[in-house]
Amino acid sequence: MPFWWSKYLKSVKKNQGEQENPTHGEDTGGTAANIPAQTMGTDLKTQIEQLKKTTGNSSDIVIHEIKMGSKANVPAAVICVDGLDDSLMINENLLEVLMANPKIDPYLDSDNVLDDLMKHAIKIGGVKTVMNWNDLFAELLSGQTILLIDGVYGGLSISTRGGEQRSIEEPSTEVTVRGPREGFTESLRVNTALIRKRIKNPNLWLESYKIGEVTRTDVVLMYIKGIANDKVVEEARKRLQTLKIDAILESGYIEQLIEDKTFTIFPTIYHSERPDVVAANLLEGRFAIIVDGSPFALVAPAVFIQFFQSADDYYMRFDIATAIRFLRVLGYLISLIGPATYVAATTFHQEMIPTQLVFTLTGQREAIPFPAFVEAIVMEIIFEILREAGLRLPRPIGQTVSIVGALVIGQAAVQAGLVSAAMVIVVSITAIASFATPSFSIAISARLFRFVFMLLAATFGFYGIIIGMIALVVHLCSLRSFGVPYTTPIAPLVRQNIGDTVFRAPIWSMSARPRLLSQKNIVRQGENQRPMPPKKNGEPS
């Protein structure tokens, strides 16, 4: 065994031993390595010193040392985090109540000071007791205000969350012509409230988790009891509870940790920043995961056809929605095999091209030094670089770079004789078609597979494209999202749900929820919902 490898194994065993035998008490979550393991005690000065020591005397930890009661003879401390709290609420509804107020004197002399103050004196909702350092820091760093009283064991956590946050705006990634203009923000409670506003039902259940050994991020699992499949919800609950990671900074962390299959470029969990979309999926029997600090909610189980659907589809007539869905699917196929089809036709199957067009393409390619495959690869790579550069630059500059850059490079390449004009047209049509897909996560799969299909087309012609499509379909059929087949309701075929795939049946005809998602409350509307014209006078109703 090499020396460096044995040294590495020893370091791994040492780290594992330190993780299995922590020295900071029973709770290993959050910043528990710095949280004191001993009890809180009752001496106020000792508590404040311990709090400052644990937080490194951080400047954003604000400690108001006050005297309670009309005689100002009871030392206390009001502790909060600057920027996470509502300062006005603390000043008006807490400090004024506790200081120089004779009404709280009877409660300060009772045997159970915390309970009496919580029930009779403090007029702010969401008050609860904290009896250890772990709970105290969890509440404090979540934006709550802590009240400690000299001589009293424990303290009170008072709900005063506030601070600056982004207002509700229209989602930038899911723009619709018709529908609500509200989008999720980075605030967990704002996001859950936006869904509650749309589903006013007590069966909409929320389960809260704190995930992240260091960040202690608030995560909510949301589903409708009685509609969602209990086995699917239990599987989601199990995956969330078993997560062991130091930080959750965005819902993408959760998505990558709980998805069914890692080695696939197709997304098996849907994400959205529209409350109406999440509410509609909950009503179909899915569950949602909302992460504090992220405007994107995760929705699962997800199916392939779901990524081609938009909120607009359900707010307009079914025939118009069906035509638009056909365009989206067609755009996806063009972005997937458009350049590959051109390469295969010009390289192997010239007989399939009309004669006049063959002469035109041949005349363009006479001075081109590269084969069609190299042309396509180079142009696609250049376009992807331009697209990424336009995305990362500031918005006004990025749009200019992506548009002007594509025009200048394309025109210059044609004039220099490096690529043919037909290839520029094919790449441009492919790029435009890729933008027609509503979901970025499914559109990028076509962008990546496009290079594989071009290689197959340059090697085997149309036979390579067909082989690639067969392999792609087999791969899609093998995927699962929390146990639900990825290609449902097409494979396996579920006839009662086929009306919400590439076709969008009328709303009145979609009376059943997706069968593989909801197995209890299948029916979602009554019969005979089809609109009927009014009867003429004298005709039976």
Side-chain angles (χ1 to χ4, degrees):
M1 180 183 296
F3 171 74
W4 62 269
W5 180 250
S6 61
K7 186 176 180 181
Y8 169 76
L9 291 179
K10 289 180 181 179
S11 64
V12 169
K13 292 180 180 179
K14 181 179 179 181
N15 291 334
Q16 290 177 347
E18 292 176 354
Q19 293 176 359
E20 294 173 356
N21 299 287
T23 60
H24 47 72
E26 297 179 355
D27 192 343
T28 61
T31 53
N34 296 324
I35 296 177
Q38 67 270 21
T39 57
M40 292 180 62
T42 59
D43 183 65
L44 181 63
K45 290 185 178 181
T46 304
Q47 292 174 334
I48 293 176
E49 290 176 0
Q50 185 63 66
L51 189 144
K52 290 181 178 180
K53 179 181 178 182
T54 305
T55 59
N57 202 17
S58 300
S59 58
D60 62 337
I61 306 296
V62 181
I63 302 176
H64 301 278
E65 296 190 43
I66 62 175
K67 299 288 186 179
M68 296 175 58
S70 60
K71 299 179 181 180
N73 57 352
V74 179
V78 176
I79 309 163
C80 59
V81 179
D82 188 19
L84 297 182
D85 64 321
D86 188 338
S87 301
L88 184 61
M89 181 186 296
I90 294 175
N91 293 331
E92 293 184 354
N93 298 334
L94 188 59
L95 294 179
E96 290 184 5
V97 172
L98 299 177
M99 299 172 63
N101 185 1
K103 294 182 180 180
I104 67 171
D105 289 345
Y107 309 131
L108 298 178
D109 295 333
S110 68
D111 295 333
N112 202 340
V113 179
L114 297 180
D115 285 345
D116 288 342
L117 288 175
M118 179 171 57
K119 294 177 182 178
H120 305 292
I122 299 176
K123 300 179 181 180
I124 302 176
V127 183
K128 62 181 179 181
T129 58
V130 288
M131 293 299 177
N132 57 67
W133 286 111
N134 285 320
D135 293 342
L136 184 147
F137 282 105
E139 295 292 320
L140 177 64
L141 299 176
S142 297
Q144 311 288 57
T145 296
I146 304 298
L147 173 62
L148 300 178
I149 303 174
D150 189 30
V152 178
Y153 183 81
L156 289 180
S157 171
I158 305 165
S159 180
T160 57
R161 291 182 181 177
E164 297 294 330
Q165 62 184 22
R166 183 169 63 92
S167 60
I168 298 174
E169 300 172 351
E170 182 179 2
S172 58
T173 59
E174 297 177 82
V175 180
T176 60
V177 177
R178 180 177 179 179
R181 294 294 184 262
E182 292 178 330
F184 288 133
T185 69
E186 287 74 19
S187 174
L188 176 66
R189 283 302 163 222
V190 171
N191 296 343
T192 56
L194 288 173
I195 298 177
R196 281 282 188 194
K197 186 170 69 173
R198 288 163 171 79
I199 306 178
K200 303 177 181 69
N201 194 305
N203 290 325
L204 178 60
W205 288 10
L206 279 70
E207 298 180 7
S208 299
Y209 302 89
K210 283 190 179 294
I211 303 178
E213 301 296 325
V214 177
T215 59
R216 306 301 288 166
T217 306
D218 292 316
V219 178
V220 166
L221 173 65
M222 181 180 290
Y223 60 94
I224 301 179
K225 183 67 175 178
I227 294 180
N229 191 326
D230 292 337
K231 293 182 179 179
V232 173
V233 174
E234 178 60 31
E235 179 63 24
R237 187 184 297 119
K238 178 181 177 182
R239 296 185 189 185
L240 288 176
Q241 291 174 345
T242 56
L243 293 182
K244 299 296 181 183
I245 188 173
D246 63 341
I248 297 293
L249 301 179
E250 212 274 338
S251 59
Y253 283 60
I254 300 287
E255 179 181 359
Q256 297 174 65
L257 292 171
I258 67 173
E259 60 187 356
D260 287 53
K261 194 169 184 178
T262 300
F263 298 103
T264 178
I265 63 174
F266 290 100
T268 55
I269 296 178
Y270 187 80
H271 64 265
S272 174
E273 56 177 337
R274 294 185 61 92
D276 55 331
V277 171
V278 176
N281 280 280
L282 290 173
L283 291 168
E284 287 189 345
R286 295 180 173 90
F287 65 85
I289 297 175
I290 302 177
V291 180
D292 189 25
S294 172
F296 290 91
L298 304 180
V299 177
V303 295
F304 179 69
I305 197 63
Q306 180 182 357
F307 294 90
F308 297 92
Q309 300 171 354
S310 173
D312 274 337
D313 298 348
Y314 303 93
Y315 303 147
M316 61 178 64
R317 289 180 50 82
F318 74 95
D319 45 4
I320 299 174
T322 299
I324 293 176
R325 282 192 184 178
F326 267 112
L327 287 178
R328 293 183 193 136
V329 175
L330 177 62
Y332 184 80
L333 291 176
I334 292 175
S335 65
L336 184 65
I337 62 174
T341 302
Y342 176 82
V343 171
T346 56
T347 305
F348 291 98
H349 309 283
Q350 295 89 349
E351 70 279 1
M352 299 181 65
I353 306 175
T355 305
Q356 190 64 37
L357 182 58
V358 169
F359 291 152
T360 302
L361 295 177
T362 303
Q364 291 180 5
R365 293 194 48 80
E366 280 183 340
I368 305 300
F370 307 110
F373 171 67
V374 176
E375 273 188 278
I377 288 290
V378 171
M379 290 300 296
E380 286 292 344
I381 291 176
I382 291 175
F383 180 79
E384 292 298 332
I385 293 174
L386 284 172
R387 189 200 316 239
E388 188 66 17
L391 181 64
R392 302 304 168 191
L393 286 171
R395 184 169 299 178
I397 303 175
Q399 294 177 351
T400 304
V401 169
S402 58
I403 296 174
V404 176
L407 291 174
V408 171
I409 292 177
Q411 184 67 23
V414 172
Q415 292 180 351
L418 298 178
V419 296
S420 62
M423 179 59 71
V424 174
I425 295 174
V426 170
V427 172
S428 301
I429 293 175
T430 303
I432 294 172
S434 66
F435 291 130
T437 306
S439 175
F440 173 80
S441 55
I442 200 71
I444 198 171
S445 65
R447 290 164 55 184
L448 296 178
F449 266 123
R450 187 185 306 157
F451 294 95
V452 177
F453 276 99
M454 284 190 290
L455 179 61
L456 291 173
T459 307
F460 304 105
F462 279 124
Y463 300 105
I465 296 177
I466 295 173
I467 292 172
M469 291 297 293
I470 293 174
L472 187 62
V473 171
V474 171
H475 175 67
L476 288 174
C477 292
S478 69
L479 296 179
R480 297 290 186 274
S481 178
F482 287 83
V484 176
Y486 195 55
T487 52
T488 184
I490 299 175
L493 181 63
V494 182
R495 294 183 181 275
Q496 61 185 2
N497 301 136
I498 204 68
D500 195 18
T501 52
V502 179
F503 304 93
R504 209 280 277 169
I507 291 292
W508 53 263
S509 68
M510 295 190 295
S511 59
R513 293 186 176 87
R515 184 171 60 85
L516 296 180
L517 301 179
S518 176
Q519 297 183 346
K520 291 183 178 180
N521 190 356
I522 298 294
V523 179
R524 56 179 170 185
Q525 65 183 17
E527 298 180 357
N528 300 324
Q529 297 295 311
R530 181 174 182 175
M532 299 294 292
K535 300 295 183 180
K536 296 181 180 180
N537 293 333
E539 292 186 2
S541 57

